[in-house]
């Protein structure tokens, strides 16, 4: 019997999920007959639609509607939950640490393949800022988004329950580092949410909250153009948000954010969104990388100079054949990733069938960004929009792009209900420590001293009966 073609997809994000989905459709007959196998290795059993993270953090969308379950969508693929630690393409093997590996301290699993699609995405790019590892909060996963929402509301609870002005001011000061999409949208949505939430606190007013955006360059949101970037700065500042351009975070030790302009901000919240870098697994492969650590690719989405290896998305340096200047690469964003995945899948199938490959060519359409409820900026096909029209375009575009009809319907339903009813302002921070209450109940009693028990209590803490 002929051995099946083994396709390994490393990563379950935009490129990984969409590539596997297209391959699943194009190779359905082979998958049914057993002449082809698709394995997807991913740390999480879901794909996160990251453009919706700010709205999930603000409570406009339920967290479970921001993610797409891979096992449901990729029902013809083998989903392996684990992390690719290394790839030896010369031997066609990948080393994967699974959840079972971590539980039993066993050796990682070695997976053999014939065709490799490597799309592990990216991770947060951090700098050696003192205190950042101890106090910084990321904003790249759905867990971080929901944790940040709970954290913001928790700080308002702390501020409302103390008479110490230093504790109150630190709790109500929120510092965001990074003026790209993630930082600006997260700040805009959360400031909007917190300002609304303040009406339910007797001793907190919206003007008591201090929001600071720190950006190392001289502009924010470069994707929407210089004019819209300046408008965004004016819009944020009109909402009493302190935008610091050409400023860096020097330290956040001891819960004090020290900026390069000398400002010291006591704060309990430092959100780091200052860029991303390729996933670490790329450094543990024998595939060619550029100076920034991304895989060197061709316009056909093959790894340059390597057979049977394909890449796209954040991890790949794909030449932009539509650019006027030579040497320009496609931006590592969702707009390119989704389209690259389709071309990659088609080219992989074409290679299996001996047909010629097609180049990836997509002219950048533009960008949209939300700045909170009914506020946004957009620069699409040369047209500049701001305010409500841009916000509406932002929602319409991303609703059309979120995977599966199921998710589209659920998100649209939540937006509709949000327009009819008031915002939810509940903090569920205890979800991060679900066993804390049970551990307290199951732990030893406060005191087992016979004298203490005789004076008014029993071993279980109940009062002594007369």
């Amino acid at each position: 019997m002929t051995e099946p073609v083994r396709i390994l997809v490393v990563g379950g994000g935009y490129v990984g999920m969409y590539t596997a989905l297209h391959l699943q459709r194009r190779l359905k007959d082979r998958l049914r007959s057993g002449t082809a196998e698709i394995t997807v290795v991913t740390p999480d059993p879901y794909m996160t639609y990251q453009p919706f993270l700010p709205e999930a953090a603000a409570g406009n969308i339920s967290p479970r509607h921001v993610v797409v379950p891979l096992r449901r969508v990729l029902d013809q693929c083998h989903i392996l939950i684990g992390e690719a630690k290394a790839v030896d393409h010369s031997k066609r093997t990948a080393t994967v640490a699974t959840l079972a590996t971590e539980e039993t301290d066993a050796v990682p699993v070695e997976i053999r393949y014939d065709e490799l699609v490597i799309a592990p995405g990216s991770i947060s790019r951090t700098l050696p800022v003192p205190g950042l590892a101890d106090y910084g909060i990321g904003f790249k996963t759905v867990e971080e988004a929901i944790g940040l929402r709970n954290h913001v509301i928790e700080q308002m609870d702390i501020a409302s329950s103390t008479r110490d002005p230093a504790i109150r001011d630190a709790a109500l000061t929120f510092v965001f580092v990074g003026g790209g999409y993630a930082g600006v949208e997260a700040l805009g949505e959360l400031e909007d949410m917190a300002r609304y939430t303040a009406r339910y606190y007797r001793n907190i007013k919206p003007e008591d909250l201090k929001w600071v955006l720190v950006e190392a360059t001289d502009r924010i949101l470069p994707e929407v153009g210089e004019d819209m970037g300046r408008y965004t700065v004016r819009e944020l500042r009109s909402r009493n948000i302190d935008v610091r351009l050409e400023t860096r975070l020097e330290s956040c030790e001891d819960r004090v954010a020290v900026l390069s302009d000398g400002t010291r901000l006591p704060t309990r919240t430092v959100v780091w969104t200052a860029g991303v870098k390729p996933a670490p697994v790329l450094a543990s492969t024998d595939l060619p990388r550029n100076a920034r650590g991304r895989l060197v690719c061709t316009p056909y989405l093959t790894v340059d100079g390597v057979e049977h290896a394909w890449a796209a998305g954040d991890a790949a340096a794909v030449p932009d054949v539509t650019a006027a200047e030579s040497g320009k690469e496609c931006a590592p964003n969702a707009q390119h990733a989704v389209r690259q995945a389709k071309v990659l899948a088609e080219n992989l199938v074409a290679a299996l069938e001996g047909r010629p490959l097609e180049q990836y060519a997509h002219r950048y359409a533009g960008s949209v960004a939300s700045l909170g409820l009914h506020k946004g900026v957009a620069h699409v096909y040369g047209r500049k929009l701001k305010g409500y029209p841009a916000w509406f375009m932002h929602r319409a575009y991303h609703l059309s792009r979120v995977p599966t009809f199921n998710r589209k319907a659920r998100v649209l339903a939540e937006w509709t209900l949000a327009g009819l009813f008031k915002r939810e302002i509940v903090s569920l921070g205890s979800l991060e420590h679900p066993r804390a209450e049970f551990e307290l109940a199951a732990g030893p009693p406060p005191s087992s001293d016979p004298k203490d028990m005789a004076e008014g209590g029993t071993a279980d803490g109940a009062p002594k009966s007369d």
Side-chain angles (χ1 to χ4, degrees):
M1 182 178 177
T2 305
E3 286 289 323
V5 176
R6 296 164 298 186
I7 302 172
L8 176 63
V9 180
V10 176
Y14 289 107
V15 174
M17 191 202 78
Y18 277 108
T19 298
L21 182 61
H22 290 300
L23 287 173
Q24 181 177 268
R25 292 170 179 169
R26 297 284 283 108
L27 299 175
K28 59 181 180 181
D29 292 336
R30 284 194 174 198
L31 292 171
R32 290 172 181 171
S33 63
T35 56
E37 296 176 355
I38 302 173
T39 300
V40 180
V41 174
T42 173
D44 302 304
Y46 52 81
M47 187 275 271
T48 302
Y49 191 71
Q50 291 183 339
F52 278 159
L53 288 184
E55 292 214 46
N60 298 330
I61 301 176
S62 173
R64 66 183 184 279
H65 298 157
V66 177
V67 299
V68 180
L70 295 179
R71 296 187 190 279
R72 177 185 294 177
V73 176
L74 305 177
D75 57 340
Q76 299 301 311
C77 302
H78 173 51
I79 308 298
L80 180 61
I81 306 303
E83 184 177 356
K85 294 296 186 180
V87 174
D88 188 343
H89 192 65
S90 62
K91 297 181 179 179
R92 302 291 193 275
T93 61
T95 303
V96 179
T98 66
L99 294 178
T101 301
E102 297 176 2
E103 289 288 338
T104 60
D105 293 327
V107 295
V109 177
E110 192 172 86
I111 299 177
R112 301 192 61 82
Y113 62 83
D114 300 304
E115 300 286 341
L116 172 67
V117 178
I118 185 160
S122 57
I123 62 174
S124 295
R125 177 175 59 85
T126 59
L127 298 176
V129 176
L132 182 62
D134 298 319
Y135 302 111
I137 302 172
F139 196 78
K140 190 167 173 57
T141 67
V142 66
E143 292 86 358
E144 288 174 330
I146 304 311
L148 182 56
R149 168 187 169 81
N150 292 332
H151 175 81
V152 169
I153 298 178
E154 184 180 85
Q155 299 313 301
M156 297 178 71
D157 289 336
I158 291 173
S160 69
S161 60
T162 182
R163 295 182 179 180
D164 188 324
I167 295 177
R168 177 185 170 90
D169 290 345
L172 296 182
T173 299
F174 307 95
V175 179
F176 285 68
V177 183
Y181 274 125
V184 172
E185 289 194 327
L187 172 59
E189 292 285 356
L190 283 166
E191 188 275 338
D192 201 44
M193 182 270 293
R195 183 160 26 86
Y196 175 88
T197 304
R199 70 177 65 182
Y200 296 99
Y201 291 82
R202 293 185 177 182
N203 56 349
I204 295 180
K205 299 178 181 178
E207 52 268 27
D208 294 336
L209 283 75
K210 185 174 185 179
W211 300 84
V212 183
L213 176 63
V214 179
E215 168 55 39
T217 67
D218 61 351
R219 57 191 292 193
I220 64 174
L221 290 181
E223 299 88 350
V224 299
E226 189 172 350
D227 291 342
M228 291 294 96
R230 285 197 297 265
Y231 164 80
T232 303
V233 172
R234 293 196 302 270
E235 165 66 23
L236 294 178
R237 285 175 174 168
S238 70
R239 291 159 58 179
N240 203 30
I241 296 173
D242 186 358
V243 180
R244 304 285 184 98
L245 302 178
E246 297 183 280
T247 307
R248 299 179 306 279
L249 177 69
E250 298 286 355
S251 170
C252 57
E253 288 184 305
D254 301 322
R255 295 192 180 277
V256 177
V258 181
L259 308 185
S260 59
D261 60 6
T263 304
R264 296 176 63 87
L265 298 168
T267 177
R268 297 172 59 88
T269 308
V270 175
V271 183
W272 183 269
T273 63
V276 296
K277 62 182 180 180
V281 66
L282 299 187
S284 300
T285 72
D286 53 353
L287 302 174
R289 295 180 296 143
N290 65 9
R292 289 178 294 175
R294 301 169 72 192
L295 296 176
V296 180
C297 295
T298 70
Y300 302 98
L301 303 178
T302 60
V303 178
D304 193 25
V306 181
E307 295 183 343
H308 308 292
W310 312 76
D314 291 358
V318 179
D320 187 353
V321 299
T322 66
E325 61 272 27
S326 61
K328 188 174 182 181
E329 299 172 356
C330 295
N333 56 34
Q335 186 176 143
H336 281 297
V338 173
R339 290 171 172 82
Q340 287 173 356
K342 183 176 181 180
V343 175
L344 191 159
E346 292 293 337
N347 280 348
L348 199 160
V349 173
L352 293 177
E353 297 176 352
R355 295 185 285 108
L357 310 184
E358 293 185 5
Q359 288 188 340
Y360 171 74
H362 170 67
R363 191 174 298 278
Y364 193 59
S367 302
V368 291
S370 170
L371 304 178
L373 191 62
H374 301 159
K375 296 174 282 290
V377 290
H379 190 183
V380 181
Y381 293 116
R383 295 180 61 87
K384 301 174 183 178
L385 299 173
K386 56 188 179 183
Y388 185 87
W391 172 83
F392 183 82
M393 178 176 286
H394 173 272
R395 282 200 162 183
Y397 173 77
H398 286 299
L399 182 65
S400 70
R401 294 300 175 183
V402 68
T404 76
F405 176 79
N406 180 304
R407 286 294 174 273
K408 288 180 173 64
R410 290 177 182 272
V411 169
L412 182 59
E414 286 197 307
W415 282 343
T416 302
L417 291 174
L420 299 175
F421 301 101
K422 296 180 179 180
R423 283 179 184 253
E424 294 290 346
I425 60 167
V426 178
S427 169
L428 298 176
S430 58
L431 289 175
E432 299 169 28
H433 308 283
R435 296 188 66 247
E437 183 72 20
F438 183 78
E439 287 176 351
L440 180 63
S447 174
S448 58
D449 192 309
K451 293 181 179 179
D452 294 338
M453 294 170 59
E455 289 177 0
T458 60
D460 63 1
K464 184 179 178 181
S465 59
D466 293 335

